[in-house]
Structures are given as structure tokens and as C-alpha cells.
Amino acid sequence: MRNFLTTSEWSRAELDQLIDSALQFKSAVDQPKLLAGKSVALVFFNPSLRTRASMQIGIHELGGNPVVLEPGGTSWTLEHRDGVVMDADKTEHVAEFVRVLARYCSAIGVRTFAALRNWEEERMDPVLRAFAKYSEVPVINLESAMHHPCQALADMMTIREKSGAERKRVVLTWAWHPKPLPMAVPNSFALGAAQMGHDLVIAHPKGYELDGELMARIQEQAAGGGGSVEVTNDSAAAFTGADVIYAKSWGSKQFYGKPERDIDERARYRGRWIVDEQKMARTNGAIFMHCLPVRRNVIVTDTVIDSPASVVIDEAENRLHAQKAIMKKVMSTEY
Ligand code: CP
């Protein structure tokens, strides 16, 4: 049995095969009913448009039945820690929740964002790992505290579709946002770009470094995949000659659990760390990417997101095809 928790548990060849499969799903008029008679649980601790709609629709188009559950809303509040005396607000433990669902469903997707309270705890992805620990069916990460691999696969597919399969100068740029956000999307995008052998540039202000252990894994993947990794605090320099601009905001590890301090720290970057026409003019005719949802004229100007360079809607569409490929793979008995 294989889970889809992060792309780093999948080889470059396997990721390429998943993208090939996603492109086949995209071009096929008739969809194979691979999930006929099967149900897939989709557990959402947090809000979603793209992930929830594309998973529900993807499962339906493959002939299966999506079962959406929202702990604390449409299902019981959930405890994930082992050995806890459950005398507070949590009604059910992941140990029972997941094992019961695994008796009904052929796979379990879970979305569980970072609470942005305790860095050392959350960087270990405790809720996602608890699901994987107890599940007897494949677990698909629909965005956890540290990773969003479905997004990353759709992103790598979009880069291949729009810019070709060759090595590209791919820039992940931090952007100002009024509040600190989780790091799952930048982590998974950087990891995916390194695995695919691109020349990855990560641009952010000082103090907004990604996790050290993850950066070591990104460096390792880049070295193995024939690409490179550069980290810069110079936004304008990063854009120069770029083929892909991927914008995302994230919070500082330094101020994790202290949002007011992060908000004060980042105030100086407002209007400076935004993707605008001037910066895009420095690129090598780059495409503009963002996972969405995006705050217009905060992360990116209207002129860029509405320009022909913007591929954000195709990128969102590709979530559907990429996730079908992931479900086909993890729910198959052949690896
Ligand atoms: N990009 C993404 O995961 O979108 P949602 O949060 O709307 O699912």
C-alpha cells in the first residue's frame, strides 16, 4: 500500500509517470470507471474550493462515491495525540475514526492545515501522520501543516504543459500578505521543482527562511535531479531571466505562534514584495502561477493575474487531472 503524503516519497520517474497519466486523463473524452463500486473519504478540517470540488468531481467522474466529512462540523471533533486523557473538547480519536473509515472506503484524503501555534510540533505534521499511522487504506494528503503534494504535482504538470519538459529557471517568490500563512504550498512547490530538475530560486525577505531540514532535502533532490537551488533576499534579481514565477506568502518560523509580531515585521514589505508588471518585465517571458485563493493587488496586481502570462486557472484545472492520476496509482494494487 502506498500513501501520497509528500512528493519526496515518490521518485522523479514516478512523478513523471503521474504527470503523463494526468495529461492522459485531461485529453480523454471517456474516463475509465476505475473507482466503480468504491468510496473515497475526504476529511476536511479546513475550508477549500479547489481541492474539495476537484476531488469530489474526480471521484464521481471515475465512477466512485466521495464521502465528505468535516470533523467538528458534520462529524465528531477529533483527537490525534496518543495517550491523551480525552476529558476536554475532543469526542473521537483518530485511531477509531480512521480505522472505521478504512472499513468503508478504498482511500482517505485529508486536509489539515497548520494551526500556526507550535512550530516544533507542527513541522512534524502530526495529524497527517496519525491518519497514515492508523489507516489500512492509502492516505492522500489534501494539504497538511507542511505539505500540499497534490498542488505540487498539478504545478509541475502545468509547468511542463506551458513551458515544456526541459529544465527551467523557476522562481518561488514570497509575497506580502496581511497575516502569516502556513508553509505547505511553498514547501511542496520547492520540493517538486527540485525533484523535477529545475533551477529553483527561492526569494524571500530575511527571516522568512523555509524549514532547514526541508531545505536540505530540496538541495539533495536538486543535486540528484540535475538542477540547482539558490536562495536570495533580492526580489528584483530573482525575477531576472525567470521562466516561471510562482508567488506565495508564508509566515516566519521566528514568529510562529506570535502573529502580531510577524505582522509588524512584514509591514515594511507591503508594496515591495508584490508581483507586478515591472518585475514580470525582467523575466524571460515567464508564466505567472499561484495555487489560489489569491488576494488581488496584494500578492499580485490585476495587470499580471489578468495578463496572458497568468496560468492560474489552468493550474487549478490541473488539480482535477493530477488527483485522478494519484488516485489511480495509489488505489491500484500494482506498483
Ligand atoms: N489551492 C488549493 O488547495 O485551493 P483550496 O484551498 O481552495 O482547496
Side-chain angles (χ1 to χ4, degrees):
M1 187 186 89
R2 284 192 78 181
N3 295 323
F4 196 75
L5 304 183
T6 77
T7 56
S8 60
E9 287 135 11
W10 294 72
S11 69
R12 163 75 189 271
E14 287 174 321
L15 295 178
D16 275 328
Q17 283 163 9
L18 284 172
I19 294 174
D20 290 342
S21 169
L23 289 165
Q24 277 169 14
F25 277 117
K26 189 169 185 173
S27 62
V29 178
D30 291 322
Q31 299 287 323
K33 302 297 177 201
L34 301 168
L35 304 186
K38 295 183 177 178
S39 292
V40 177
L42 301 173
V43 184
F44 281 88
F45 286 85
N46 314 99
S48 167
L49 165 65
R50 282 142 288 271
T51 307
R52 181 171 169 157
S54 59
M55 284 299 289
Q56 281 191 270
I57 291 163
I59 293 162
H60 169 77
E61 288 180 0
L62 295 178
N65 172 46
V67 179
V68 178
L69 297 162
E70 296 151 317
T74 53
S75 68
W76 304 112
T77 50
L78 278 185
E79 176 60 68
H80 67 275
R81 295 167 298 172
D82 286 332
V84 169
V85 178
M86 290 172 56
D87 59 357
D89 58 334
K90 301 288 165 44
T91 308
E92 181 152 38
H93 200 281
V94 166
E96 285 75 50
F97 177 92
V98 166
R99 287 185 296 173
V100 168
L101 272 183
R103 297 285 173 99
Y104 305 147
C105 299
S106 300
I108 301 174
V110 56
R111 163 162 286 199
T112 171
F113 287 172
L116 298 175
R117 280 198 289 267
N118 181 330
W119 170 245
E120 288 309 324
E121 204 175 293
E122 292 175 33
R123 68 182 287 282
M124 304 310 288
D125 250 338
V127 181
L128 177 73
R129 297 288 161 189
F131 269 67
K133 174 179 171 181
Y134 289 110
S135 184
E136 286 160 13
V137 296
V139 174
I140 301 172
N141 181 357
L142 302 179
E143 189 173 344
S144 63
M146 287 293 278
H147 291 279
H148 197 354
C150 293
Q151 181 69 54
L153 189 70
D155 293 338
M156 295 311 127
M157 172 185 176
T158 307
I159 292 173
R160 199 213 276 187
E161 245 187 338
K162 300 290 177 187
S163 309
E166 311 78 36
R167 180 175 170 178
K168 301 284 171 220
R169 180 174 164 89
V170 170
V171 177
L172 167 64
T173 177
W174 185 89
W176 181 84
H177 185 283
K179 57 182 187 180
L181 298 178
M183 298 177 194
V185 169
N187 287 347
S188 286
F189 180 81
L191 195 52
Q195 284 183 274
M196 300 309 286
H198 292 300
D199 292 320
L200 172 67
V201 180
I202 306 176
H204 57 71
K206 279 202 175 87
Y208 287 84
E209 292 76 22
L210 297 179
D211 180 60
E213 202 177 302
L214 180 92
M215 281 305 299
R217 209 179 321 152
I218 288 169
Q219 295 278 7
E220 204 178 274
Q221 294 282 0
S228 63
V229 185
E230 179 193 331
V231 179
T232 178
N233 303 133
D234 184 339
S235 172
F239 275 66
T240 307
D243 301 302
V244 175
I245 296 295
Y246 196 99
K248 187 72 185 82
S249 192
W250 62 87
S252 167
K253 304 192 298 288
Q254 195 181 340
F255 302 121
Y256 211 84
K258 303 179 189 82
E260 299 311 325
R261 291 193 55 194
D262 194 327
I263 289 165
D264 287 348
E265 172 69 17
R266 63 180 51 213
R268 73 186 89 165
Y269 303 121
R270 184 171 191 164
R272 287 167 56 198
W273 284 81
I274 183 171
V275 180
D276 60 19
E277 278 176 301
Q278 288 71 36
K279 287 186 191 159
M280 289 299 285
R282 301 177 73 99
T283 70
N284 180 31
I287 55 170
F288 171 77
M289 301 180 72
H290 189 282
C291 62
L292 305 181
V294 70
R295 293 194 184 214
R296 281 172 172 256
N297 302 308
V298 170
I299 303 288
V300 57
T301 61
D302 283 342
T303 50
V304 172
I305 197 167
D306 293 331
S307 76
S310 173
V311 299
V312 297
I313 305 301
D314 298 305
E315 186 184 351
E317 182 195 330
N318 285 343
R319 293 289 307 279
L320 173 66
H321 313 299
Q323 287 153 198
K324 281 182 182 170
I326 294 163
M327 286 190 280
K328 178 182 175 184
K329 185 72 180 169
V330 301
M331 291 165 76
S332 142
T333 49
E334 294 163 22
Y335 298 107

